[in-house]
Amino acid sequence: MTLTLDQTLDLSQRRWRRRSLWALVLLVPLALFVMSYSDVREMGKSGNFLPVDVAAGQSARYGGSDWQFIELRTVSEGIKPGSLPQNAVPVIARFIVEIGDPDLKNLWLMCSVRLVDASGRSWSPAAVPGLPRPAEGIETCTSTIFAGVSQGTRRVVEETYLVPANVVGELRPTIGMRSERPYYLRFARPE
């Protein structure tokens, strides 16, 4: 039995089709990876994934500055009865920050100070109606960025939260910034 020219072309074409299909199995995932790599990398900078635990009373270098968690306190004075949701408590987290690198506009971009409870739920800073204004010299994370700081200066950073009353005892503050992500600081509460 001899193969004719048409049959030979069919065999050759089949082989090339099979090779092309196998090449697609390798090339399509590789192309998707190459095209989406920068997007996946950017997604990693938008979330806090890897905690760096900081012991109570200790400071940690983060975002070019040294952060030390001072206190987490509840506030009851100055708030009108009935102005807050039922079982909600205003809480203030206070930090002392010694500025290392004064380029805060780049280093502290997307600064996020959050409170996290034992089950992983988190709270962002909130405006609490009726709460007195902070004292002179107390700033938020965002206001410190635009304060025109110099290296070596110390700042008091406070954030205010509205949290359920039953979780106040287990809350821990965390700090995340775009320049340091996926790492974030997780502070232990002072005893």
Side-chain angles (χ1 to χ4, degrees):
M1 177 168 148
T2 60
L3 296 175
T4 64
L5 183 59
D6 289 339
Q7 291 172 331
T8 308
L9 285 176
D10 275 348
L11 284 174
S12 174
Q13 286 176 347
R14 280 191 222 142
R15 278 191 209 123
W16 278 107
R17 273 191 206 129
R18 263 187 256 128
R19 290 176 185 160
S20 297
L21 288 174
W22 280 111
L24 283 176
V25 167
L26 296 173
L27 291 177
V28 168
L30 181 63
L32 286 173
F33 173 76
V34 167
M35 290 180 351
S36 63
Y37 175 74
S38 63
D39 294 334
V40 170
R41 207 170 112 211
E42 283 301 310
M43 278 178 36
K45 292 213 175 241
S46 66
N48 298 329
F49 300 115
L50 302 170
V52 175
D53 288 318
V54 181
Q58 299 297 310
S59 65
R61 187 79 152 174
Y62 193 74
S65 299
D66 293 322
W67 289 79
Q68 182 180 9
F69 174 56
I70 301 301
E71 67 177 339
L72 190 66
R73 71 179 191 281
T74 59
V75 180
S76 58
E77 69 275 352
I79 298 178
K80 296 178 205 168
S83 65
L84 299 178
Q86 188 175 357
N87 294 325
V89 176
V91 174
I92 295 177
R94 179 178 276 190
F95 299 87
I96 299 288
V97 182
E98 185 172 331
I99 307 299
D101 186 340
D103 185 20
L104 302 185
K105 289 179 184 170
N106 289 317
L107 293 172
W108 287 22
L109 186 64
M110 294 176 61
C111 180
S112 169
V113 181
R114 300 176 66 85
L115 295 181
V116 179
D117 71 359
S119 64
R121 295 180 299 171
S122 66
W123 288 266
S124 296
V128 178
L131 198 65
R133 288 188 150 295
E136 186 68 31
I138 296 179
E139 303 167 339
T140 64
C141 196
T142 305
S143 68
T144 306
I145 293 172
F146 301 103
V149 297
S150 59
Q151 184 174 3
T153 59
R154 293 172 61 96
R155 303 297 246 207
V156 177
V157 174
E158 277 189 357
E159 296 288 355
T160 306
Y161 306 86
L162 194 58
V163 300
N166 62 337
V167 298
V168 171
E170 60 189 61
L171 292 174
R172 295 175 67 180
T174 64
I175 297 175
M177 295 175 192
R178 188 177 195 285
S179 65
E180 298 284 341
R181 286 185 177 124
Y183 297 98
Y184 68 99
L185 295 182
R186 183 172 56 189
F187 291 91
R189 288 183 64 149
E191 297 300 321

